[in-house]
Amino acid sequence: MLGQLVLWVKIAMFTDHVMGYACFCADEASCGSPRWIGRGLSCVCIKRKGAYERICMNLTPVQEERLQRLKHRMKVYFDPSRRDHQEALKALWHATYPDQELQGLVSEQWKDMGWQGRDPSTDFRGAGFISLENLLFFAKTFSASFQRLLKKQCGNRATWEYPFAVAGVNITFMIMQMLDLQSKDECAFDLLYCVAFVVMDKQWLDKNASYMDFNEVLKSTRTQLERELVLDDVMRIEDMPSYNLLC
Ligand SMILES: *[C@@H]1O[C@H](CO)[C@@H](O)[C@H](O)[C@H]1NC(C)=O
Ligand SMILES: *[C@@H]1O[C@H](CO)[C@@H](O)[C@H](O)[C@H]1NC(C)=O
């Protein structure tokens, strides 16, 4: 319970803005009952490097705007008739396979990337347009890690591998659940997504998993992320031990 709360507060802190923080009191005994302070002023006491500390911050207009933007982003469905969505899908193809021409927004080629069928848009249903943005961010920002996972280059792989792109959508969905749609910053979300993807692949290999075990692997990925996020020294996504898996 406390772990959950601390996790939530920390994610809110990475993001630098919140609708209202849960406020803990300064000793462990009374930490169980968070209190909502409301919008604007955000305060929280957390244990940091062994001592309890109270952190307060104001919600600036910029932070407010960021929060609204991300909330909006999470509600956008993939719409195959929208020009900008089509462009994003093409951009994903080019970032993934720079040397291969894309034959169409609906094409057999998409299966190579680990979509379930010829039309990736049917797989976005779970998480929406943001799952495409997450994949694109990952492909562009950590292209070596992205290619390594895509091509399944590392380790002793299963005969029944997880489909790469679909797993990406599942990870977006998992992080949206973890953040509880309450508070987050766009960049923290994108970074956490990339960390989650490489952690998932690592657990996949460590467990010698096959696609039948995907749910289990996703669950233990979440546990691992939560464990790292509540570590005393982790004050940013970049501080998470697993961030080092990215290159
Ligand atoms: C993963 O995403 C696919 C495509 O959206 C969906 O069909 C599947 O049920 C999801 N699986 C999990 C474990 O979330
Ligand atoms: C991993 O699974 C494969 C079958 O998919 C099996 O042949 C192999 O022995 C397993 N390796 C370990 C270390 O469990």
Side-chain angles (χ1 to χ4, degrees):
M1 160 68 189
L2 183 58
Q4 279 280 335
L5 228 41
V6 171
L7 170 68
W8 184 80
V9 164
K10 284 191 122 177
I11 290 172
M13 279 174 52
F14 298 143
T15 72
D16 224 13
H17 60 251
V18 255
M19 296 302 273
Y21 260 140
C23 192
F24 302 85
C25 301
D27 63 271
E28 196 133 25
S30 42
C31 258
S33 48
R35 192 162 59 81
W36 293 99
I37 309 190
R39 212 178 160 90
L41 181 67
S42 316
C43 255
V44 66
C45 304
I46 61 164
K47 200 172 177 188
R48 195 171 171 185
K49 302 206 196 309
Y52 283 94
E53 215 177 295
R54 167 173 272 209
I55 299 159
C56 293
M57 56 188 106
N58 283 304
L59 203 63
T60 66
V62 173
Q63 292 167 336
E64 179 87 32
E65 191 193 306
R66 252 197 237 154
L67 175 64
Q68 291 311 325
R69 215 169 44 222
L70 187 66
K71 287 186 131 187
H72 174 74
R73 227 180 122 190
M74 291 186 152
K75 284 192 210 129
V76 178
Y77 291 101
F78 182 83
D79 178 353
S81 69
R82 267 177 70 165
R83 174 62 65 90
D84 55 336
H85 288 195
Q86 295 174 1
E87 289 307 319
L89 199 49
K90 284 184 202 158
L92 177 64
W93 180 267
H94 292 305
T96 309
Y97 300 110
D99 303 328
Q100 283 179 48
E101 186 104 21
L102 178 64
Q103 268 131 38
L105 294 173
V106 176
S107 148
E108 287 293 324
Q109 288 169 295
W110 288 106
K111 291 185 187 168
D112 297 343
M113 195 183 160
W115 297 103
Q116 296 188 97
R118 309 171 68 237
D119 181 4
S121 71
T122 56
D123 289 330
F124 292 137
R125 269 184 216 132
F129 183 60
I130 194 169
S131 55
L132 170 54
E133 292 182 302
N134 284 151
L135 277 167
L136 192 52
F137 177 88
F138 188 22
K140 286 181 167 171
T141 315
F142 301 101
S143 71
S145 292
F146 181 88
Q147 292 293 332
R148 178 169 57 80
L149 266 54
L150 168 77
K151 294 177 184 147
K152 318 251 184 197
Q153 275 163 342
C154 285
N156 192 7
R157 318 280 333 191
T159 356
W160 193 19
E161 268 293 319
Y162 65 84
F164 176 78
V166 171
V169 175
N170 295 142
I171 289 170
T172 300
F173 191 67
M174 176 186 76
I175 295 179
M176 292 197 332
Q177 284 179 322
M178 277 174 72
L179 299 186
D180 198 23
L181 302 176
Q182 284 294 328
S183 57
K184 50 243 134 218
D185 149 80
E186 303 191 82
C187 190
F189 188 95
D190 289 317
L191 284 177
L192 187 56
Y193 173 85
C194 298
V195 174
F197 216 135
V198 288
V199 168
M200 189 279 287
D201 192 70
K202 183 164 187 307
Q203 303 252 344
W204 176 269
L205 289 173
D206 289 352
K207 290 180 196 300
N208 198 21
S210 107
Y211 198 37
M212 210 160 61
D213 312 310
F214 187 73
N215 271 341
E216 270 321 299
V217 171
L218 208 53
K219 263 188 221 151
S220 64
T221 300
R222 180 169 174 164
T223 307
Q224 177 66 26
L225 295 175
E226 290 178 343
R227 198 179 293 139
E228 292 189 17
L229 282 165
V230 298
L231 292 175
D232 275 0
D233 289 341
V234 173
M235 302 312 286
R236 304 169 308 150
I237 302 287
E238 291 91 328
D239 300 331
M240 293 172 70
S242 291
Y243 184 78
N244 296 320
L245 295 171
L246 285 168
C247 45

